[in-house]
């Protein structure tokens, strides 16, 4: 029998206990969705178990194959540098494949829509509502460009307007985007946090949303997020087929 690789979900970690609680809730949903896949969780900082600790434990059990999945929405520093550096220090007996980050994905846009509906918006509100797509922010231009493109694409689904905003490193801030949408004449302004779990930067987004009419919850353990995790896992464990003539 061929055993599926262990899925190791790698979260950033936070001093805020809500962060780890939300990560664990998401992992529980992933396990319930695919009980045939073993799912473990490791944190880069602040929380336990650590990623190196989980990898050592898996190797000691005799596990051979691991798919390491960054619990990140964009390819920025953690996905490009931090996580690969940690994985390079794993026990040699482990075969580790790093999956892609979660975003962008149409499923994540659907999760954003879910959170806005839960916050009180209906489909009939879309044409009169401007949305702030509020992310944590990054110094990586690739990550910033991805957020801007998600906002552009999301605008075409019927919202009055969609503007990106950032809690750190980049501009505009959430409160500035809220004001811009007011100035555009949107009858209603909603803030949709494009973040996975509560913490310091999501709290900053919430403070910036004080002038908005609606503040949605973080994506958290939304079923669409769990589906994206499993899509990334399945893609990472597929054999790489070499191009003809390569």
């Amino acid at each position: 029998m061929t055993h599926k690789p262990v899925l190791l979900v790698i979260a950033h970690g936070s001093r805020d206990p809500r962060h780890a609680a939300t990560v664990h809730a998401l992992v529980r949903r992933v396990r319930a969705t695919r009980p045939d896949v073993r799912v473990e969780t490791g944190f880069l900082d602040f929380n336990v178990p650590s990623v190196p600790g989980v990898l050592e434990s898996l190797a000691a059990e005799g596990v051979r194959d691991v798919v390491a999945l960054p619990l990140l929405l964009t390819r920025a520093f953690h996905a490009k540098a931090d996580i690969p550096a940690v994985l390079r220090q794993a026990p040699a007996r482990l075969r580790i494949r790093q999956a892609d980050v979660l975003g962008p994905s149409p499923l994540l846009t659907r999760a954003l829509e879910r959170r806005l509906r839960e916050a009180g918006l209906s489909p009939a509100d879309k044409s009169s509502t401007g949305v702030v797509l509020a992310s944590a922010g990054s110094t990586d231009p690739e990550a910033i460009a991805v957020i801007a493109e998600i906002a552009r694409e999301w605008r075409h689904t019927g919202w009055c307007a969609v503007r990106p905003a950032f809690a750190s490193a980049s501009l505009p801030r959430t409160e500035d985007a809220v004001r811009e949408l007011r100035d555009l004449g949107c009858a209603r302004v909603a803030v949709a946090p494009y973040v996975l779990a509560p913490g310091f930067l999501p709290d900053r987004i919430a403070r910036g949303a004080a002038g908005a009419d609606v503040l949605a919850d973080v994506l958290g353990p939304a079923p669409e997020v769990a589906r994206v995790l499993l899509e990334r896992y399945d893609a990472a464990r597929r054999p790489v087929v070499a191009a003809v003539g390569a």
Side-chain angles (χ1 to χ4, degrees):
M1 182 177 70
T2 302
H3 293 281
K4 293 181 174 67
V6 172
L7 169 55
L8 172 58
V9 176
I10 300 179
H12 183 273
S14 171
R15 292 186 179 90
D16 189 322
R18 297 173 299 166
H19 174 89
T22 302
V23 170
H24 291 311
L26 174 58
V27 169
R28 285 195 298 272
R29 185 177 286 275
V30 172
R31 289 181 179 134
T33 304
R34 285 280 293 277
D36 59 314
V37 176
R38 177 177 174 182
V39 188
E40 300 292 339
T41 309
F43 295 90
L44 291 174
D45 207 353
F46 302 117
N47 302 105
V48 292
S50 68
V51 175
V54 175
L55 293 171
E56 291 284 352
S57 296
L58 291 172
E61 284 182 37
V63 170
R64 294 289 186 178
D65 290 317
V66 175
V67 169
L69 192 152
L71 198 60
L72 301 167
L73 295 172
T74 58
R75 286 190 75 251
F77 182 78
H78 293 304
K80 295 176 179 178
D82 278 357
I83 291 174
V86 171
L87 297 180
R88 282 194 294 270
Q89 298 170 15
R93 69 183 298 168
L94 291 176
R95 178 179 179 227
I96 302 176
R97 285 164 280 187
Q98 183 175 329
D100 288 339
V101 298
L102 304 184
S105 167
L107 283 169
L108 294 177
T109 305
R110 286 167 59 181
L112 289 165
E113 299 256 3
R114 171 189 292 274
R115 294 302 188 224
L116 287 169
R117 288 196 308 272
E118 290 169 350
L121 290 179
S122 72
D125 296 323
K126 292 185 77 166
S127 63
S128 59
T129 302
V131 178
V132 177
L133 179 69
S135 74
S138 173
T139 57
D140 188 306
E142 177 188 347
I144 298 305
V146 166
I147 299 300
E149 179 61 22
I150 293 169
R152 281 192 293 269
E153 291 293 323
W154 200 14
R155 162 69 181 85
H156 297 315
T157 65
W159 296 102
C160 173
V162 180
R163 293 289 185 272
F166 307 94
S168 68
S170 309
L171 295 174
R173 294 286 183 258
T174 303
E175 53 268 34
D176 299 325
V178 169
R179 282 194 294 269
E180 181 185 351
L181 291 172
R182 291 282 188 215
D183 292 342
L184 275 176
C186 297
R188 187 183 297 99
V189 176
V191 174
Y194 190 61
V195 293
L196 287 165
F200 176 75
L201 292 178
D203 283 350
R204 181 179 286 177
I205 290 171
R207 290 193 296 273
D213 302 291
V214 174
L215 171 63
D217 200 357
V218 299
L219 297 175
E224 296 86 358
V225 179
R227 285 178 58 193
V228 176
L229 261 72
L230 289 166
E231 282 186 357
R232 299 293 183 256
Y233 167 79
D234 288 333
R237 70 187 184 94
R238 291 188 196 110
V240 176
V241 179
V244 175

